[in-house]
Amino acid sequence: MPLLLLLLALLLPAAPEATPSALLGINYGRVGNNLPPTTSALQLLAGLGVGRVRLYDADPATLRSFANTGVELVVGVPDECLAAVSTPSGASSWVRSVIQPALPATKIAVLTVGNEVLTGANSSALTPSLLPAMQCIHDALVQLGLDKQVAVTTAHNLGVLATSYPPSSAYFRKDLLPVLCPILNFHARTGSPFLVNAYPYFAYAEDPAGVELEYALLEPGHGGVPDPSSGLRYPNMLVAQVDAVYHAIAAANRAAARAVEVRVSETGWPSAGDGNETGATPRNAARYNGNVMRLVGEGKGTPLRPDGALRVYMFALFNENMKPGPLSERNYGLFKPDGTPVYELSYRLPKDNATTSSGAGGTGSIAGSGGGPQNNGYYSISASSAKANVGWWTCAAVLLMMIAF
């Protein structure tokens, strides 16, 4: 059966190559019970001109929906799967049953093993499995000849840093170094990027008196903040956070620092929040996300790494009504579940930001009214069967196959 699946995959047409300047992606979370089908989400992506998408699980139906679209995917291995894929047999079963059948029709470029594992609520239980899972999944890809096509990494919360200001003084938490240093060696050896979820919103919300709103919103007119040690001037907080990670990597593992690229796997700004969530407004969210699109669209790097264009995944495509936590957690989306925009976002992405060659590079603008696809039944959608734990079945499938073999 695996041989048959491989033969079928090889017969499928390859998706178009991504353009070099397609640097902006978006997170497509599905923690909601009123979200539209992926086919409708694809139309919104085409309208935005976004050709890179991050998924938090490897649901086969979702992966099939992206087949032959040219959209490049970052696919998540959910936290609850880490133990199952931290052994060679478990990782091999998962890759062969979930990832290999989707290729090459679905463009899977990166696998993220867990999300914010080192700083999450279950860090003590999950951390021992993180690097073994990354290594075993990479080895499984090597065995199938897919390691040059699919990279393996994990996404970190900015909380892995002990300090981030000024960027040149940043370093990782000492208690995490025994885990992070081998992970950095893994990135340097395999060529995979170091992913960080970076949110200037949190810094502003925690200290609105000490953090200038325009600096946190990436406003191009802000004069910038100097780093007294390096002499570099930071025009906005996002690039300062990225360079703080670069400095922390250099402080922990100087050899890896020369080889490892930092990418932003999540960034965004909520359009609504609880009474104590300062700055969570539609206007601020529109300004921030528009400025992220502008910043990435310029194709520039950071003050520390000016020659390497910054890669960013915005959070998120939809408001997700089943996410736990404060109100802001359910209000990061560019779109409401019915496909209407949450706020007006007028910045236009360059047409070549899309990775497809079929006209998906649209205007990249969201209008306050009339935005989104028209006359396709999209606005009539009121509910779907999306569930919060859509990725769990893949872990169960691995365990069942391990028992069978």
Side-chain angles (χ1 to χ4, degrees):
M1 188 64 179
L3 179 59
L4 177 60
L5 291 173
L6 177 60
L7 290 173
L8 289 173
L10 291 174
L11 290 173
L12 290 171
E17 291 296 320
T19 60
S21 60
L23 304 174
L24 182 71
I26 196 163
N27 287 267
Y28 177 23
R30 304 194 309 285
V31 186
N33 62 6
N34 60 352
L35 297 176
T38 304
T39 51
S40 296
L42 280 165
Q43 296 179 56
L44 294 178
L45 292 169
L48 284 170
V50 172
R52 298 180 191 269
V53 170
R54 181 187 175 199
L55 302 173
Y56 289 87
D57 61 80
D59 172 55
T62 303
L63 296 182
R64 285 194 298 270
S65 295
F66 281 95
N68 303 311
T69 63
V71 175
E72 184 181 277
L73 297 182
V74 174
V75 176
V77 183
D79 290 356
E80 58 266 28
C81 287
L82 261 61
V85 298
S86 62
T87 65
S89 60
S92 179
S93 295
W94 188 83
V95 170
R96 288 176 183 273
S97 64
V98 179
I99 300 303
Q100 188 182 19
L103 300 169
T106 300
K107 294 178 65 175
I108 301 174
V110 179
L111 297 177
T112 53
V113 182
N115 185 52
E116 301 186 349
V117 169
L118 301 184
T119 54
N122 297 320
S123 61
S124 59
L126 295 174
T127 296
S129 298
L130 179 57
L131 182 57
M134 294 170 65
Q135 291 173 328
C136 288
I137 289 176
H138 174 74
D139 291 344
L141 292 169
V142 170
Q143 292 172 6
L144 296 172
L146 298 174
D147 57 302
K148 303 302 181 185
Q149 178 180 348
V150 184
V152 178
T153 184
T154 186
H156 302 282
N157 185 290
L158 204 63
V160 296
L161 298 179
T163 183
S164 61
Y165 180 80
S168 60
S169 298
Y171 59 92
F172 290 121
R173 283 169 40 186
K174 292 183 179 179
D175 61 309
L176 297 180
L177 286 176
V179 181
L180 282 169
C181 286
I183 287 176
L184 290 171
N185 286 332
F186 172 86
H187 288 311
R189 177 171 59 85
T190 64
S192 59
F194 187 98
L195 302 185
V196 61
N197 299 338
Y199 288 87
Y201 163 72
F202 292 133
Y204 174 75
E206 290 173 6
D207 186 16
V211 177
E212 290 186 69
L213 180 60
E214 288 71 20
Y215 183 63
L217 291 175
L218 322 186
E219 292 288 11
H222 190 271
V225 175
D227 184 322
S229 298
S230 68
L232 297 174
R233 178 171 289 273
Y234 285 89
N236 61 70
M237 183 175 285
L238 183 62
V239 293
Q241 290 178 335
V242 172
D243 276 358
V245 175
Y246 272 122
H247 280 290
I249 292 174
N253 189 326
R254 188 160 295 278
R258 293 192 291 268
V260 177
E261 177 190 2
V262 176
R263 298 181 186 177
V264 179
S265 43
E266 287 183 20
T267 194
W269 197 287
S271 60
D274 293 321
N276 61 346
E277 294 187 284
T278 304
T281 67
R283 183 172 184 269
N284 286 342
R287 292 165 68 190
Y288 182 81
N289 286 320
N291 285 330
V292 169
M293 297 170 76
R294 173 193 54 77
L295 178 67
V296 177
E298 291 173 350
K300 298 179 181 178
T302 66
L304 184 65
R305 299 287 183 94
D307 297 329
L310 184 63
R311 294 177 180 266
V312 175
Y313 285 79
M314 295 169 59
F315 189 87
L317 187 60
F318 292 110
N319 282 342
E320 300 168 67
N321 70 339
M322 293 181 66
K323 293 196 71 175
L327 181 62
S328 61
E329 287 292 320
R330 295 176 289 283
N331 287 279
Y332 275 91
L334 298 182
F335 293 96
K336 301 173 185 178
D338 65 358
T340 57
V342 177
Y343 43 76
E344 184 175 349
L345 185 63
S346 59
Y347 180 80
R348 294 173 180 265
L349 282 171
K351 288 186 177 181
D352 59 357
N353 188 73
T355 63
T356 69
S357 58
S358 57
T363 62
S365 64
I366 304 174
S369 61
Q374 300 290 336
N375 301 321
N376 57 7
Y378 188 81
Y379 292 110
S380 66
I381 294 172
S382 60
S384 72
S385 58
K387 297 179 181 178
N389 295 321
V390 291
W392 170 247
W393 83 270
T394 57
C395 308
V398 169
L399 294 173
L400 288 173
M401 284 188 295
M402 290 173 67
I403 293 171
F405 286 101

